[in-house]
Amino acid sequence: RDSSTSRGLGDVYKRQVSNNSSGATNLYFVRSSGFVAGGILSKIEVNGQEIAKLGVKEYVNHQTSSNFKIKIANDADCLAVSESIDGSGADYDSVFAIIMGTGVGAGFTYRNQLMVGPNKLTGEWGQNPIPGPMDDYEKSVQRHCGRIGAIEVFLSGPGLENYFEFITKNYLSSKEIIALYRTKEKQAVSIMNVYFERAARALSTVVNILDPDVIVLGGGMSNVGRIYENIPKLLPKYTFSDKIRNKILRNTHGDSSGVRGAAWLWDSDKF
């Protein structure tokens, strides 16, 4: 993803398709980190900073000097579509797919159809406060928008880095922290155990409200193998049932999953 302002809309992908009436037609599939309401990309963020409110079609056509058909969904929605159709969620009816990377967001599908509400906010679970009771650190951490204790600031890669620095007074990247954790270094293990506990608390609300067949994880933090062992063990502490049958799986298509989901948008009439 290019993080410059001029490309801040997200990743745009073009393909040639056959059109019975006019020959070849250019279709653009847009994967963005914001959300869309009423044809307007209401919030565009690059590295956590809001840029502008733009008409999506006008913006893309201006950037490409063309007049194309456009469909748009955020990156987590595209992940959910891709993984539900032929990825880790293909054998399940309901799929809650989460990106845990620079930020945290999710999309929800049922029988391969993306669930889209009137505000286009389905899956914006990373903006919710982490279920309490919050400790003093959790009460002190703000998103750039001013929200205190949002799930995103704890489960994202930068969130892990910030907590590590808070505890150790030293900065390491999330990859370095995970590498240290794998060596069983004492502080790294303690910090990652807090991370797993926070993830279980956050996911408990998803299980209690949606109870999806499977939760698929994407983004850099999904590469931590112990997530798939530890979170299922911790979830019953925070859910209504003490036996959790929901599967928690790593994504199948890696960094390409969002791109693939964007291409699948053309089969939906919701975008």
Side-chain angles (χ1 to χ4, degrees):
R1 177 174 301 183
D2 185 339
S3 61
S4 67
T5 301
S6 64
R7 300 290 292 175
L9 182 60
D11 300 322
V12 183
Y13 302 91
K14 184 175 81 171
R15 73 178 182 187
Q16 296 288 334
V17 298
S18 175
N19 183 298
N20 291 334
S21 61
S22 58
T25 300
N26 291 312
L27 304 182
Y28 272 81
F29 309 94
V30 181
R31 181 184 64 163
S32 167
S33 59
F35 59 89
V36 182
I40 301 296
L41 187 61
S42 300
K43 192 172 186 180
I44 300 176
E45 292 186 358
V46 173
N47 295 332
Q49 299 301 313
E50 185 173 341
I51 295 175
K53 295 185 178 180
L54 299 172
V56 175
K57 181 175 180 180
E58 290 76 10
Y59 180 87
V60 173
N61 283 332
H62 173 73
Q63 293 294 317
T64 60
S65 301
S66 305
N67 185 29
F68 295 111
K69 295 180 181 179
I70 297 166
K71 292 200 173 188
I72 184 168
N74 75 18
D75 47 1
D77 286 340
C78 291
L79 171 69
V81 171
S82 173
E83 293 294 328
S84 69
I85 291 175
D86 62 353
S88 297
D91 295 330
Y92 303 92
D93 282 341
S94 55
V95 178
F96 193 80
I98 302 170
I99 290 181
M100 298 164 68
T102 305
V104 173
F108 182 58
T109 63
Y110 182 72
R111 295 183 177 174
N112 298 339
Q113 295 298 308
L114 190 64
M115 298 293 100
V116 181
N119 301 302
K120 304 294 191 293
L121 290 174
T122 307
E124 288 295 343
W125 153 87
Q127 312 308 311
N128 291 353
I130 192 166
M134 293 186 188
D135 61 29
D136 289 341
Y137 176 78
E138 292 165 355
K139 292 175 184 176
S140 71
V141 182
Q142 291 187 354
R143 288 186 78 246
H144 56 84
C145 65
R147 287 193 179 97
I148 295 174
I151 288 167
E152 180 176 81
V153 300
F154 307 115
L155 301 191
S156 64
L160 175 62
E161 294 165 359
N162 292 337
Y163 185 62
F164 184 90
E165 186 172 16
F166 173 78
I167 295 296
T168 67
K169 312 306 178 189
N170 293 308
Y171 173 81
L172 290 180
S173 70
S174 56
K175 288 183 179 179
E176 291 171 324
I177 297 166
I178 293 163
L180 197 60
Y181 166 74
R182 287 171 177 155
T183 70
K184 299 184 179 180
E185 193 276 333
K186 186 175 180 180
Q187 277 192 311
V189 168
S190 176
I191 286 166
M192 287 305 300
N193 284 341
V194 173
Y195 180 90
F196 297 140
E197 197 80 38
R198 285 173 175 154
R201 287 163 57 195
L203 286 171
S204 69
T205 59
V206 175
V207 172
N208 282 339
I209 295 173
L210 294 177
D211 200 18
D213 294 325
V214 62
I215 297 169
V216 178
L217 303 184
M221 296 304 298
S222 71
N223 295 320
V224 182
R226 291 299 296 271
I227 282 180
Y228 307 97
E229 299 173 30
N230 292 357
I231 293 180
K233 295 175 182 176
L234 295 169
L235 264 173
K237 293 167 59 177
Y238 303 107
T239 55
F240 186 66
S241 173
D242 59 2
K243 292 184 179 179
I244 297 301
R245 298 173 178 84
N246 317 77
K247 302 295 184 183
I248 300 179
L249 303 176
R250 191 195 307 256
N251 68 86
T252 295
H253 299 297
D255 293 341
S256 298
S257 207
V259 178
R260 298 172 78 265
W264 282 110
L265 293 181
W266 209 255
D267 294 329
S268 172
D269 60 0
K270 295 182 178 180
F271 299 92

